[in-house]
Amino acid sequence: MGGEELVLRIQRFDPSLEKHPHLERYAVPLNDGMTVLDALLYAKDRLDHGIAMRFSCRMASCGSCGMKINGRPRLACETQLADLRSSTVTVQPMDNFPIVRDLVVDLESFFSKHRAVSPHLVRKGDPQEQESPTGEYLVTPQELDSLVQFTYCIKCGLCSSSCPTSSTDSLFPGPQALAQEYRYLQDPRDEAGDERLDLVDTEHGVWRCHFAGTCSAVCPKGVDPALGIQLLKRHIMAARSPFRRRKPKASSGARVFPNPNEDLLKRP
Amino acid sequence: MRESTIMQLQYGTAVLALGLVTVHLLMQGVLVPYGEAVSFQHVLSVYRNVVDGALLEVLLIVVLAHGFNGLRIILLEWRQSAGWTRGVNSMVLLVTLAAISYGTRTVILAATGQVT
């Protein structure tokens, strides 16, 4: 690839000054192993300091550099230019979010929807036990298997930006929040129960997912939010069906196991 | 009514509609020749048969409930506000009931021989 050049087309837009976004072209020299983020940083460092973009870890862990690359939502840091097989790469901000400037979008609605589903363990037991646990709250490998993939979410927003329902229904929680809801519903340590179901069993909630599956297709961490949403629907159906025989058991309840190191901890 | 209950009805009516429409089409073009099936007197005779008339009434309710709830979902995804949601829910319920009532009236009139 040495000596070759890439045409990088970056969408530029400052809502305070312009009415419509436009694409600007930058010629970037190609190097082996170069990612889209590398190309963007070259353009920003050498060609135009004004390009606005978000990035941080450069290793697909922080989820900051989500953007639309050649029309598909991806992380810029893990997208190899060689894999795109194109001498022209178009970079645009993620869809379904308001643009702050250039490639930077406002993720406030995304994180507020995430917060709205109580993405944490809810415990209703003795507050004293919660402050000073008498043992460990263990999860079996089988229980972990049912939820572990959803814990890999890095909250990059790519799933929500690709979701057709999110593009039309601003109150739809989106695939990320719904998958997290399922993740905590499945956790045997969580005691929120029906309260969790009430959060998403609404007119703009989980039922508005039409299973396009784009969220799972674009997830850079291999999470399958579409699966989580369908499992969440199944759980709600089973829990709230008038024909149900028994209530489904989302969690097996808190099981406190004595801390095997308790003796060590008590030693002065 | 909870959204999950409405969606159970939506899925249930979808399955029912598939079965009922299949039976309906069989009656229209396979078991009875199409030309005969759509003749006015034959249609009236279908209504006057208790089983066939009941099937048409159930088909009417199932298809209208499923279709109008689908329309409600589309409208809810089109715009979002508390007023719009309330308005759409109420209007769709009213229109569905009105359509079912009007269709039922037709079924009753035909079944009781008031249409000749």
Side-chain angles (χ1 to χ4, degrees), chain A residues 84-251:
Chain A
L84 295 174
R85 300 179 191 283
S86 169
S87 58
T88 303
V89 172
T90 305
V91 186
Q92 294 166 291
M94 288 192 288
D95 289 328
N96 299 345
F97 298 111
I99 298 172
V100 176
R101 197 159 73 87
D102 297 343
L103 302 174
V104 179
V105 293
D106 183 356
L107 290 167
E108 176 52 37
S109 65
F110 175 75
F111 287 114
S112 63
K113 285 171 181 174
H114 173 67
R115 280 193 295 272
V117 297
S118 301
H120 50 80
L121 292 176
V122 175
R123 301 286 304 168
K124 293 181 173 173
D126 180 10
Q128 182 63 31
E129 167 65 19
Q130 291 174 51
E131 289 297 319
S132 309
T134 54
E136 293 176 85
Y137 290 81
L138 297 184
V139 178
T140 65
Q142 290 77 20
E143 288 166 340
L144 186 64
D145 276 348
S146 70
L147 62 89
V148 69
Q149 69 152 308
F150 303 109
T151 67
Y152 297 149
C153 173
I154 56 172
K155 299 161 199 69
C156 58
L158 294 183
C159 55
S160 290
S161 79
S162 70
C163 172
T165 306
S166 295
S167 71
T168 55
D169 189 342
S170 60
L171 299 178
F172 180 61
Q176 189 275 338
L178 291 172
Q180 290 307 300
E181 178 73 346
Y182 180 70
R183 175 253 176 273
Y184 286 98
L185 193 67
Q186 278 298 107
D187 197 308
R189 298 164 296 180
D190 188 78
E191 294 177 334
D194 265 13
E195 290 169 22
R196 284 206 180 279
L197 304 188
D198 291 339
L199 291 173
V200 293
D201 187 10
T202 63
E203 283 138 334
H204 295 280
V206 66
W207 306 106
R208 296 295 81 86
C209 166
H210 302 301
F211 202 23
T214 50
C215 50
S216 301
V218 302
C219 179
K221 305 305 285 184
V223 181
D224 191 352
L227 171 70
I229 295 171
Q230 304 319 307
L231 292 172
L232 182 59
K233 283 180 182 174
R234 186 175 74 174
H235 183 90
I236 295 173
M237 280 291 184
R240 297 193 156 165
S241 167
F243 309 109
R244 74 175 188 270
R245 287 182 182 167
R246 63 181 175 83
K247 214 171 178 177
K249 213 170 180 181
S251 82

Side-chain angles (χ1 to χ4, degrees), chain A residues 32-44:
Chain A
D32 286 343
M34 201 172 187
T35 64
V36 173
L37 181 61
D38 293 332
L40 283 168
L41 288 173
Y42 180 92
K44 184 175 172 65

Side-chain angles (χ1 to χ4, degrees), chain A residues 6-66:
Chain A
L6 166 85
V7 176
L8 190 62
R9 299 197 310 160
I10 303 176
Q11 181 172 310
R12 308 298 304 274
F13 182 46
D14 185 344
S16 63
L17 301 173
E18 298 162 291
K19 281 189 177 173
H20 304 289
H22 64 281
L23 291 170
E24 282 188 18
R25 298 164 74 93
Y26 301 91
V28 176
L30 273 175
N31 293 313
D32 286 343
M34 201 172 187
T35 64
V36 173
L37 181 61
D38 293 332
L40 283 168
L41 288 173
Y42 180 92
K44 184 175 172 65
D45 287 346
R46 313 270 181 98
L47 307 174
D48 186 345
H49 299 320
I51 299 169
M53 55 194 273
R54 272 199 196 105
F55 69 99
S56 183
C57 73
R58 306 186 192 204
M59 49 187 271
S61 283
C62 70
S64 300
C65 62

